[in-house]
Amino acid sequence: MSLVGAHGTVSGHALLLGAGVTSMPTTGSIQARSTLNGSGLALKPTAGTISGQTTLTGVSQAGHHGTIAGQAALAAAGLARIFAVGTGAISSQAMLNGVGMGANAFAALLASRQFVMADLFTITLARTGQTLTFTNIDRPVWWNNAYYDPYSLAIQGLQFKKSVGLTVDEQAISLSATRDLLINGRPWFDEIANGLLDHAEIRRERVFAPDWNSTPVGSVILFDGIVSTIDSLTTTQCQLKVKSYLSLLNQPMPRNSWQTSCLHTLFDAGCTLSKSAYQVTGQVGAGSTLDTLNWNGATSGYYWQGTITFTSGPNTGLSRTIKLATGSQLMFHLPLPWMPLTGDSFFAYPGCDKTYQTCKNRFNNTANNRSYPFIPTPTIAL
């Protein structure tokens, strides 16, 4: 079925159904609650209007100088390939869905060689799922419904690379900020020392726009990966290494190893023990230092490889791994950023060396133990 008219109008509650439905008015309009359904629909009005609650469904709908307004909806592949240029307008609640929308506009902008660009950095924290967005230019950028902040964390690094073969790309990234820049109520680099960026995902994306006052037209992703190591950390700077997602393929196989130490981590889902059930409250004793805390409850052996989390004082919220407990002192693997004050409160949790005997004697949890202590050593195995 074909509808062709030089100055025709389709309006009211008109309904057009069929394969190859075509409407090509020069100055006509399709409006109100009209519905067009079919394969190969082609609407190419020179100065026409598609408005109201019109619905078009099919392939290759396009308008060169027309207007799509109101609650019009277009859904298919190849939509708006012509509408992206010219003098047309898309407004109100109009919706375009499909593949390749706006591709012509982005390609045309790059071909013009007259554009501005900005690098956007997106950090997704593994612990909380929180997304943090920053840009390297001196003005804010809105992209994909997100605000990229130019006035806080300064980020450099993550270059685009090409190589032959399947290799895990690892790159350096530098973070800089002043001490008054806070996250979770604390300076950025104090939180990084406390594990803020452990296994965080970082993306570097470059957006392009006609000028600084225009919305970006398109983007390309330069690097996407996961934080692997922290090379250096000061109060205002941090050097990180970020690996591409290919690093996730570097997993030991088989997944479960036959070994003398337990495969679980204390208090994880496999261990099943409740961390809060083993939580002990304590207070910092006089004479404590950045890496040694005086506490009469520091039972020797019990707290080795355990953790401590401060609940008051200048180190509130910070956690440290306990290297050694002597009965009156807890010694940390890493020093605290702030000197603990006498009377500061904290939670202390025991440690586990993942042996069968510790699981039995300290936690009575052998039912969930995944160690294999009776495997012969290589020297005596047949």
PDB file of all heavy atoms in Angstrom, residues 149-187:
ATOM      1  N   ASP A 149      33.456  16.888  37.284  1.00  0.00           N
ATOM      2  CA  ASP A 149      33.944  18.000  38.095  1.00  0.00           C
ATOM      3  C   ASP A 149      35.357  18.419  37.675  1.00  0.00           C
ATOM      4  O   ASP A 149      36.270  17.585  37.662  1.00  0.00           O
ATOM      5  CB  ASP A 149      33.944  17.571  39.566  1.00  0.00           C
ATOM      6  CG  ASP A 149      34.206  18.730  40.514  1.00  0.00           C
ATOM      7  OD1 ASP A 149      34.476  19.833  40.032  1.00  0.00           O
ATOM      8  OD2 ASP A 149      34.138  18.507  41.735  1.00  0.00           O
ATOM      9  N   PRO A 150      35.576  19.713  37.366  1.00  0.00           N
ATOM     10  CA  PRO A 150      36.916  20.172  36.983  1.00  0.00           C
ATOM     11  C   PRO A 150      37.709  20.773  38.128  1.00  0.00           C
ATOM     12  O   PRO A 150      38.874  21.124  37.959  1.00  0.00           O
ATOM     13  CB  PRO A 150      36.603  21.247  35.940  1.00  0.00           C
ATOM     14  CG  PRO A 150      35.338  21.867  36.449  1.00  0.00           C
ATOM     15  CD  PRO A 150      34.557  20.760  37.123  1.00  0.00           C
ATOM     16  N   TYR A 151      37.080  20.920  39.299  1.00  0.00           N
ATOM     17  CA  TYR A 151      37.680  21.736  40.359  1.00  0.00           C
ATOM     18  C   TYR A 151      38.166  20.927  41.561  1.00  0.00           C
ATOM     19  O   TYR A 151      38.465  21.495  42.601  1.00  0.00           O
ATOM     20  CB  TYR A 151      36.662  22.770  40.842  1.00  0.00           C
ATOM     21  CG  TYR A 151      36.075  23.610  39.747  1.00  0.00           C
ATOM     22  CD1 TYR A 151      34.716  23.587  39.488  1.00  0.00           C
ATOM     23  CD2 TYR A 151      36.891  24.407  38.944  1.00  0.00           C
ATOM     24  CE1 TYR A 151      34.163  24.350  38.473  1.00  0.00           C
ATOM     25  CE2 TYR A 151      36.354  25.176  37.928  1.00  0.00           C
ATOM     26  CZ  TYR A 151      34.984  25.139  37.690  1.00  0.00           C
ATOM     27  OH  TYR A 151      34.450  25.893  36.673  1.00  0.00           O
ATOM     28  N   SER A 152      38.254  19.628  41.457  1.00  0.00           N
ATOM     29  CA  SER A 152      38.621  18.850  42.647  1.00  0.00           C
ATOM     30  C   SER A 152      39.854  17.995  42.380  1.00  0.00           C
ATOM     31  O   SER A 152      40.974  18.496  42.396  1.00  0.00           O
ATOM     32  CB  SER A 152      37.431  17.992  43.097  1.00  0.00           C
ATOM     33  OG  SER A 152      36.954  17.202  42.033  1.00  0.00           O
ATOM     34  N   LEU A 153      39.656  16.724  42.118  1.00  0.00           N
ATOM     35  CA  LEU A 153      40.766  15.794  41.944  1.00  0.00           C
ATOM     36  C   LEU A 153      41.393  15.967  40.564  1.00  0.00           C
ATOM     37  O   LEU A 153      40.691  15.946  39.553  1.00  0.00           O
ATOM     38  CB  LEU A 153      40.271  14.358  42.118  1.00  0.00           C
ATOM     39  CG  LEU A 153      41.333  13.267  42.261  1.00  0.00           C
ATOM     40  CD1 LEU A 153      42.064  13.413  43.580  1.00  0.00           C
ATOM     41  CD2 LEU A 153      40.678  11.894  42.170  1.00  0.00           C
ATOM     42  N   ALA A 154      42.725  16.147  40.526  1.00  0.00           N
ATOM     43  CA  ALA A 154      43.457  16.249  39.256  1.00  0.00           C
ATOM     44  C   ALA A 154      43.997  14.881  38.891  1.00  0.00           C
ATOM     45  O   ALA A 154      44.677  14.234  39.687  1.00  0.00           O
ATOM     46  CB  ALA A 154      44.589  17.261  39.375  1.00  0.00           C
ATOM     47  N   ILE A 155      43.704  14.425  37.656  1.00  0.00           N
ATOM     48  CA  ILE A 155      44.086  13.085  37.207  1.00  0.00           C
ATOM     49  C   ILE A 155      44.874  13.193  35.915  1.00  0.00           C
ATOM     50  O   ILE A 155      44.502  13.941  35.009  1.00  0.00           O
ATOM     51  CB  ILE A 155      42.857  12.193  36.986  1.00  0.00           C
ATOM     52  CG1 ILE A 155      41.967  12.171  38.236  1.00  0.00           C
ATOM     53  CG2 ILE A 155      43.272  10.782  36.618  1.00  0.00           C
ATOM     54  CD1 ILE A 155      40.727  11.331  38.082  1.00  0.00           C
ATOM     55  N   GLN A 156      45.958  12.442  35.835  1.00  0.00           N
ATOM     56  CA  GLN A 156      46.753  12.363  34.617  1.00  0.00           C
ATOM     57  C   GLN A 156      47.142  10.916  34.363  1.00  0.00           C
ATOM     58  O   GLN A 156      47.413  10.162  35.300  1.00  0.00           O
ATOM     59  CB  GLN A 156      48.027  13.214  34.720  1.00  0.00           C
ATOM     60  CG  GLN A 156      47.764  14.723  34.767  1.00  0.00           C
ATOM     61  CD  GLN A 156      49.051  15.509  34.842  1.00  0.00           C
ATOM     62  OE1 GLN A 156      50.064  15.007  35.318  1.00  0.00           O
ATOM     63  NE2 GLN A 156      49.026  16.744  34.377  1.00  0.00           N
ATOM     64  N   GLY A 157      47.182  10.529  33.090  1.00  0.00           N
ATOM     65  CA  GLY A 157      47.621   9.180  32.741  1.00  0.00           C
ATOM     66  C   GLY A 157      46.590   8.423  31.948  1.00  0.00           C
ATOM     67  O   GLY A 157      45.623   8.983  31.430  1.00  0.00           O
ATOM     68  N   LEU A 158      46.790   7.104  31.811  1.00  0.00           N
ATOM     69  CA  LEU A 158      45.928   6.191  31.072  1.00  0.00           C
ATOM     70  C   LEU A 158      45.896   6.555  29.595  1.00  0.00           C
ATOM     71  O   LEU A 158      44.919   7.091  29.080  1.00  0.00           O
ATOM     72  CB  LEU A 158      44.512   6.164  31.653  1.00  0.00           C
ATOM     73  CG  LEU A 158      44.377   5.758  33.120  1.00  0.00           C
ATOM     74  CD1 LEU A 158      42.916   5.673  33.507  1.00  0.00           C
ATOM     75  CD2 LEU A 158      45.064   4.431  33.374  1.00  0.00           C
ATOM     76  N   GLN A 159      46.969   6.246  28.885  1.00  0.00           N
ATOM     77  CA  GLN A 159      47.064   6.555  27.468  1.00  0.00           C
ATOM     78  C   GLN A 159      46.427   5.444  26.629  1.00  0.00           C
ATOM     79  O   GLN A 159      46.267   4.313  27.078  1.00  0.00           O
ATOM     80  CB  GLN A 159      48.533   6.717  27.057  1.00  0.00           C
ATOM     81  CG  GLN A 159      49.269   7.795  27.833  1.00  0.00           C
ATOM     82  CD  GLN A 159      48.652   9.168  27.653  1.00  0.00           C
ATOM     83  OE1 GLN A 159      48.316   9.546  26.540  1.00  0.00           O
ATOM     84  NE2 GLN A 159      48.498   9.900  28.743  1.00  0.00           N
ATOM     85  N   PHE A 160      46.059   5.815  25.404  1.00  0.00           N
ATOM     86  CA  PHE A 160      45.505   4.847  24.464  1.00  0.00           C
ATOM     87  C   PHE A 160      46.636   4.115  23.759  1.00  0.00           C
ATOM     88  O   PHE A 160      47.584   4.730  23.291  1.00  0.00           O
ATOM     89  CB  PHE A 160      44.629   5.564  23.432  1.00  0.00           C
ATOM     90  CG  PHE A 160      44.076   4.660  22.373  1.00  0.00           C
ATOM     91  CD1 PHE A 160      43.031   3.798  22.657  1.00  0.00           C
ATOM     92  CD2 PHE A 160      44.605   4.665  21.096  1.00  0.00           C
ATOM     93  CE1 PHE A 160      42.516   2.956  21.687  1.00  0.00           C
ATOM     94  CE2 PHE A 160      44.095   3.832  20.115  1.00  0.00           C
ATOM     95  CZ  PHE A 160      43.048   2.975  20.407  1.00  0.00           C
ATOM     96  N   LYS A 161      46.549   2.785  23.711  1.00  0.00           N
ATOM     97  CA  LYS A 161      47.604   1.995  23.090  1.00  0.00           C
ATOM     98  C   LYS A 161      47.017   0.977  22.117  1.00  0.00           C
ATOM     99  O   LYS A 161      45.880   0.529  22.275  1.00  0.00           O
ATOM    100  CB  LYS A 161      48.417   1.233  24.154  1.00  0.00           C
ATOM    101  CG  LYS A 161      49.317   2.096  25.005  1.00  0.00           C
ATOM    102  CD  LYS A 161      50.133   1.211  25.941  1.00  0.00           C
ATOM    103  CE  LYS A 161      51.087   2.022  26.801  1.00  0.00           C
ATOM    104  NZ  LYS A 161      51.887   1.149  27.705  1.00  0.00           N
ATOM    105  N   LYS A 162      47.824   0.614  21.118  1.00  0.00           N
ATOM    106  CA  LYS A 162      47.486  -0.468  20.204  1.00  0.00           C
ATOM    107  C   LYS A 162      48.659  -1.430  20.148  1.00  0.00           C
ATOM    108  O   LYS A 162      49.807  -1.004  20.115  1.00  0.00           O
ATOM    109  CB  LYS A 162      47.197   0.060  18.798  1.00  0.00           C
ATOM    110  CG  LYS A 162      45.827   0.693  18.624  1.00  0.00           C
ATOM    111  CD  LYS A 162      45.569   1.037  17.169  1.00  0.00           C
ATOM    112  CE  LYS A 162      44.165   1.586  16.976  1.00  0.00           C
ATOM    113  NZ  LYS A 162      43.904   1.905  15.535  1.00  0.00           N
ATOM    114  N   SER A 163      48.370  -2.719  20.128  1.00  0.00           N
ATOM    115  CA  SER A 163      49.435  -3.708  20.067  1.00  0.00           C
ATOM    116  C   SER A 163      48.930  -4.958  19.370  1.00  0.00           C
ATOM    117  O   SER A 163      47.713  -5.184  19.285  1.00  0.00           O
ATOM    118  CB  SER A 163      49.949  -4.064  21.469  1.00  0.00           C
ATOM    119  OG  SER A 163      48.911  -4.617  22.255  1.00  0.00           O
ATOM    120  N   VAL A 164      49.856  -5.756  18.881  1.00  0.00           N
ATOM    121  CA  VAL A 164      49.518  -7.014  18.217  1.00  0.00           C
ATOM    122  C   VAL A 164      49.529  -8.126  19.257  1.00  0.00           C
ATOM    123  O   VAL A 164      50.453  -8.237  20.058  1.00  0.00           O
ATOM    124  CB  VAL A 164      50.517  -7.318  17.093  1.00  0.00           C
ATOM    125  CG1 VAL A 164      50.201  -8.665  16.448  1.00  0.00           C
ATOM    126  CG2 VAL A 164      50.508  -6.217  16.050  1.00  0.00           C
ATOM    127  N   GLY A 165      48.501  -8.947  19.246  1.00  0.00           N
ATOM    128  CA  GLY A 165      48.428 -10.043  20.201  1.00  0.00           C
ATOM    129  C   GLY A 165      47.593  -9.682  21.416  1.00  0.00           C
ATOM    130  O   GLY A 165      47.158  -8.541  21.591  1.00  0.00           O
ATOM    131  N   LEU A 166      47.385 -10.675  22.265  1.00  0.00           N
ATOM    132  CA  LEU A 166      46.570 -10.511  23.469  1.00  0.00           C
ATOM    133  C   LEU A 166      47.490 -10.276  24.663  1.00  0.00           C
ATOM    134  O   LEU A 166      48.135 -11.203  25.153  1.00  0.00           O
ATOM    135  CB  LEU A 166      45.711 -11.761  23.701  1.00  0.00           C
ATOM    136  CG  LEU A 166      44.618 -11.657  24.769  1.00  0.00           C
ATOM    137  CD1 LEU A 166      43.587 -10.624  24.371  1.00  0.00           C
ATOM    138  CD2 LEU A 166      43.960 -13.024  24.966  1.00  0.00           C
ATOM    139  N   THR A 167      47.584  -9.035  25.112  1.00  0.00           N
ATOM    140  CA  THR A 167      48.447  -8.688  26.240  1.00  0.00           C
ATOM    141  C   THR A 167      47.658  -7.885  27.261  1.00  0.00           C
ATOM    142  O   THR A 167      46.723  -7.158  26.908  1.00  0.00           O
ATOM    143  CB  THR A 167      49.664  -7.861  25.788  1.00  0.00           C
ATOM    144  OG1 THR A 167      49.205  -6.658  25.146  1.00  0.00           O
ATOM    145  CG2 THR A 167      50.532  -8.646  24.829  1.00  0.00           C
ATOM    146  N   VAL A 168      48.036  -8.009  28.522  1.00  0.00           N
ATOM    147  CA  VAL A 168      47.403  -7.238  29.599  1.00  0.00           C
ATOM    148  C   VAL A 168      48.100  -5.890  29.700  1.00  0.00           C
ATOM    149  O   VAL A 168      49.275  -5.813  30.053  1.00  0.00           O
ATOM    150  CB  VAL A 168      47.484  -7.995  30.939  1.00  0.00           C
ATOM    151  CG1 VAL A 168      46.890  -7.144  32.053  1.00  0.00           C
ATOM    152  CG2 VAL A 168      46.758  -9.326  30.845  1.00  0.00           C
ATOM    153  N   ASP A 169      47.378  -4.848  29.352  1.00  0.00           N
ATOM    154  CA  ASP A 169      47.937  -3.497  29.381  1.00  0.00           C
ATOM    155  C   ASP A 169      47.896  -2.960  30.810  1.00  0.00           C
ATOM    156  O   ASP A 169      46.850  -2.970  31.459  1.00  0.00           O
ATOM    157  CB  ASP A 169      47.130  -2.588  28.449  1.00  0.00           C
ATOM    158  CG  ASP A 169      47.779  -1.229  28.260  1.00  0.00           C
ATOM    159  OD1 ASP A 169      48.953  -1.078  28.658  1.00  0.00           O
ATOM    160  OD2 ASP A 169      47.126  -0.330  27.716  1.00  0.00           O
ATOM    161  N   GLU A 170      49.055  -2.510  31.300  1.00  0.00           N
ATOM    162  CA  GLU A 170      49.138  -1.902  32.632  1.00  0.00           C
ATOM    163  C   GLU A 170      49.727  -0.513  32.495  1.00  0.00           C
ATOM    164  O   GLU A 170      50.790  -0.341  31.911  1.00  0.00           O
ATOM    165  CB  GLU A 170      49.982  -2.749  33.575  1.00  0.00           C
ATOM    166  CG  GLU A 170      50.011  -2.197  35.000  1.00  0.00           C
ATOM    167  CD  GLU A 170      50.791  -3.072  35.955  1.00  0.00           C
ATOM    168  OE1 GLU A 170      51.897  -3.498  35.565  1.00  0.00           O
ATOM    169  OE2 GLU A 170      50.324  -3.331  37.058  1.00  0.00           O
ATOM    170  N   GLN A 171      49.034   0.489  33.017  1.00  0.00           N
ATOM    171  CA  GLN A 171      49.467   1.868  32.866  1.00  0.00           C
ATOM    172  C   GLN A 171      49.456   2.579  34.205  1.00  0.00           C
ATOM    173  O   GLN A 171      48.796   2.169  35.161  1.00  0.00           O
ATOM    174  CB  GLN A 171      48.560   2.601  31.878  1.00  0.00           C
ATOM    175  CG  GLN A 171      48.612   2.039  30.475  1.00  0.00           C
ATOM    176  CD  GLN A 171      48.027   3.003  29.475  1.00  0.00           C
ATOM    177  OE1 GLN A 171      48.168   4.218  29.599  1.00  0.00           O
ATOM    178  NE2 GLN A 171      47.353   2.476  28.471  1.00  0.00           N
ATOM    179  N   ALA A 172      50.211   3.684  34.242  1.00  0.00           N
ATOM    180  CA  ALA A 172      50.309   4.486  35.456  1.00  0.00           C
ATOM    181  C   ALA A 172      49.304   5.631  35.409  1.00  0.00           C
ATOM    182  O   ALA A 172      48.950   6.128  34.343  1.00  0.00           O
ATOM    183  CB  ALA A 172      51.719   5.039  35.603  1.00  0.00           C
ATOM    184  N   ILE A 173      48.859   6.029  36.572  1.00  0.00           N
ATOM    185  CA  ILE A 173      47.948   7.159  36.695  1.00  0.00           C
ATOM    186  C   ILE A 173      48.347   7.963  37.928  1.00  0.00           C
ATOM    187  O   ILE A 173      48.741   7.396  38.956  1.00  0.00           O
ATOM    188  CB  ILE A 173      46.482   6.685  36.788  1.00  0.00           C
ATOM    189  CG1 ILE A 173      45.530   7.890  36.852  1.00  0.00           C
ATOM    190  CG2 ILE A 173      46.272   5.774  37.968  1.00  0.00           C
ATOM    191  CD1 ILE A 173      44.072   7.479  36.759  1.00  0.00           C
ATOM    192  N   SER A 174      48.271   9.265  37.821  1.00  0.00           N
ATOM    193  CA  SER A 174      48.672  10.154  38.906  1.00  0.00           C
ATOM    194  C   SER A 174      47.469  10.943  39.406  1.00  0.00           C
ATOM    195  O   SER A 174      46.713  11.503  38.604  1.00  0.00           O
ATOM    196  CB  SER A 174      49.765  11.124  38.422  1.00  0.00           C
ATOM    197  OG  SER A 174      50.063  12.084  39.408  1.00  0.00           O
ATOM    198  N   LEU A 175      47.280  10.973  40.722  1.00  0.00           N
ATOM    199  CA  LEU A 175      46.196  11.729  41.358  1.00  0.00           C
ATOM    200  C   LEU A 175      46.800  12.813  42.229  1.00  0.00           C
ATOM    201  O   LEU A 175      47.765  12.568  42.957  1.00  0.00           O
ATOM    202  CB  LEU A 175      45.321  10.818  42.212  1.00  0.00           C
ATOM    203  CG  LEU A 175      44.794   9.521  41.588  1.00  0.00           C
ATOM    204  CD1 LEU A 175      43.950   8.759  42.591  1.00  0.00           C
ATOM    205  CD2 LEU A 175      44.006   9.812  40.335  1.00  0.00           C
ATOM    206  N   SER A 176      46.222  14.016  42.165  1.00  0.00           N
ATOM    207  CA  SER A 176      46.692  15.133  42.993  1.00  0.00           C
ATOM    208  C   SER A 176      45.489  15.877  43.557  1.00  0.00           C
ATOM    209  O   SER A 176      44.461  16.027  42.877  1.00  0.00           O
ATOM    210  CB  SER A 176      47.555  16.099  42.171  1.00  0.00           C
ATOM    211  OG  SER A 176      48.661  15.447  41.599  1.00  0.00           O
ATOM    212  N   ALA A 177      45.618  16.342  44.794  1.00  0.00           N
ATOM    213  CA  ALA A 177      44.543  17.107  45.426  1.00  0.00           C
ATOM    214  C   ALA A 177      45.081  17.796  46.670  1.00  0.00           C
ATOM    215  O   ALA A 177      46.086  17.367  47.249  1.00  0.00           O
ATOM    216  CB  ALA A 177      43.367  16.204  45.795  1.00  0.00           C
ATOM    217  N   THR A 178      44.415  18.857  47.069  1.00  0.00           N
ATOM    218  CA  THR A 178      44.772  19.549  48.303  1.00  0.00           C
ATOM    219  C   THR A 178      44.121  18.839  49.488  1.00  0.00           C
ATOM    220  O   THR A 178      43.192  18.033  49.321  1.00  0.00           O
ATOM    221  CB  THR A 178      44.310  21.015  48.251  1.00  0.00           C
ATOM    222  OG1 THR A 178      42.889  21.055  48.003  1.00  0.00           O
ATOM    223  CG2 THR A 178      45.026  21.754  47.121  1.00  0.00           C
ATOM    224  N   ARG A 179      44.582  19.144  50.685  1.00  0.00           N
ATOM    225  CA  ARG A 179      44.096  18.458  51.878  1.00  0.00           C
ATOM    226  C   ARG A 179      42.648  18.815  52.211  1.00  0.00           C
ATOM    227  O   ARG A 179      41.985  18.106  52.964  1.00  0.00           O
ATOM    228  CB  ARG A 179      44.984  18.805  53.080  1.00  0.00           C
ATOM    229  CG  ARG A 179      46.399  18.283  52.989  1.00  0.00           C
ATOM    230  CD  ARG A 179      46.450  16.777  53.094  1.00  0.00           C
ATOM    231  NE  ARG A 179      46.029  16.283  54.392  1.00  0.00           N
ATOM    232  CZ  ARG A 179      45.871  15.006  54.692  1.00  0.00           C
ATOM    233  NH1 ARG A 179      46.070  14.089  53.753  1.00  0.00           N
ATOM    234  NH2 ARG A 179      45.507  14.625  55.886  1.00  0.00           N
ATOM    235  N   ASP A 180      42.143  19.921  51.650  1.00  0.00           N
ATOM    236  CA  ASP A 180      40.764  20.300  51.958  1.00  0.00           C
ATOM    237  C   ASP A 180      39.745  19.595  51.055  1.00  0.00           C
ATOM    238  O   ASP A 180      38.542  19.764  51.216  1.00  0.00           O
ATOM    239  CB  ASP A 180      40.581  21.813  51.852  1.00  0.00           C
ATOM    240  CG  ASP A 180      40.946  22.350  50.470  1.00  0.00           C
ATOM    241  OD1 ASP A 180      41.492  21.586  49.659  1.00  0.00           O
ATOM    242  OD2 ASP A 180      40.705  23.542  50.227  1.00  0.00           O
ATOM    243  N   LEU A 181      40.232  18.790  50.097  1.00  0.00           N
ATOM    244  CA  LEU A 181      39.327  18.004  49.265  1.00  0.00           C
ATOM    245  C   LEU A 181      38.983  16.721  50.012  1.00  0.00           C
ATOM    246  O   LEU A 181      39.847  15.883  50.258  1.00  0.00           O
ATOM    247  CB  LEU A 181      39.977  17.687  47.914  1.00  0.00           C
ATOM    248  CG  LEU A 181      39.138  16.831  46.964  1.00  0.00           C
ATOM    249  CD1 LEU A 181      37.875  17.585  46.552  1.00  0.00           C
ATOM    250  CD2 LEU A 181      39.936  16.421  45.738  1.00  0.00           C
ATOM    251  N   LEU A 182      37.712  16.570  50.354  1.00  0.00           N
ATOM    252  CA  LEU A 182      37.289  15.462  51.212  1.00  0.00           C
ATOM    253  C   LEU A 182      36.425  14.464  50.449  1.00  0.00           C
ATOM    254  O   LEU A 182      35.724  14.821  49.492  1.00  0.00           O
ATOM    255  CB  LEU A 182      36.496  15.990  52.415  1.00  0.00           C
ATOM    256  CG  LEU A 182      37.160  17.061  53.274  1.00  0.00           C
ATOM    257  CD1 LEU A 182      36.233  17.468  54.420  1.00  0.00           C
ATOM    258  CD2 LEU A 182      38.500  16.584  53.814  1.00  0.00           C
ATOM    259  N   ILE A 183      36.482  13.223  50.875  1.00  0.00           N
ATOM    260  CA  ILE A 183      35.566  12.188  50.436  1.00  0.00           C
ATOM    261  C   ILE A 183      35.206  11.354  51.658  1.00  0.00           C
ATOM    262  O   ILE A 183      36.087  10.985  52.443  1.00  0.00           O
ATOM    263  CB  ILE A 183      36.175  11.319  49.318  1.00  0.00           C
ATOM    264  CG1 ILE A 183      35.153  10.265  48.886  1.00  0.00           C
ATOM    265  CG2 ILE A 183      37.481  10.668  49.747  1.00  0.00           C
ATOM    266  CD1 ILE A 183      35.540   9.506  47.639  1.00  0.00           C
ATOM    267  N   ASN A 184      33.918  11.133  51.849  1.00  0.00           N
ATOM    268  CA  ASN A 184      33.429  10.449  53.062  1.00  0.00           C
ATOM    269  C   ASN A 184      33.856  11.204  54.324  1.00  0.00           C
ATOM    270  O   ASN A 184      34.099  10.601  55.374  1.00  0.00           O
ATOM    271  CB  ASN A 184      33.937   9.006  53.120  1.00  0.00           C
ATOM    272  CG  ASN A 184      33.509   8.188  51.916  1.00  0.00           C
ATOM    273  OD1 ASN A 184      32.446   8.431  51.340  1.00  0.00           O
ATOM    274  ND2 ASN A 184      34.335   7.230  51.529  1.00  0.00           N
ATOM    275  N   GLY A 185      34.003  12.542  54.198  1.00  0.00           N
ATOM    276  CA  GLY A 185      34.339  13.368  55.348  1.00  0.00           C
ATOM    277  C   GLY A 185      35.807  13.416  55.715  1.00  0.00           C
ATOM    278  O   GLY A 185      36.166  14.018  56.722  1.00  0.00           O
ATOM    279  N   ARG A 186      36.685  12.773  54.891  1.00  0.00           N
ATOM    280  CA  ARG A 186      38.107  12.739  55.204  1.00  0.00           C
ATOM    281  C   ARG A 186      38.905  13.122  53.962  1.00  0.00           C
ATOM    282  O   ARG A 186      38.418  13.007  52.838  1.00  0.00           O
ATOM    283  CB  ARG A 186      38.527  11.347  55.687  1.00  0.00           C
ATOM    284  CG  ARG A 186      37.769  10.873  56.929  1.00  0.00           C
ATOM    285  CD  ARG A 186      38.397   9.611  57.479  1.00  0.00           C
ATOM    286  NE  ARG A 186      39.779   9.845  57.867  1.00  0.00           N
ATOM    287  CZ  ARG A 186      40.147  10.389  59.025  1.00  0.00           C
ATOM    288  NH1 ARG A 186      39.227  10.755  59.897  1.00  0.00           N
ATOM    289  NH2 ARG A 186      41.423  10.557  59.310  1.00  0.00           N
ATOM    290  N   PRO A 187      40.167  13.583  54.136  1.00  0.00           N
ATOM    291  CA  PRO A 187      41.003  13.897  52.972  1.00  0.00           C
ATOM    292  C   PRO A 187      41.133  12.688  52.045  1.00  0.00           C
ATOM    293  O   PRO A 187      41.205  11.537  52.498  1.00  0.00           O
ATOM    294  CB  PRO A 187      42.348  14.287  53.598  1.00  0.00           C
ATOM    295  CG  PRO A 187      42.006  14.778  54.963  1.00  0.00           C
ATOM    296  CD  PRO A 187      40.844  13.940  55.404  1.00  0.00           C
TER     297      PRO A 187
END
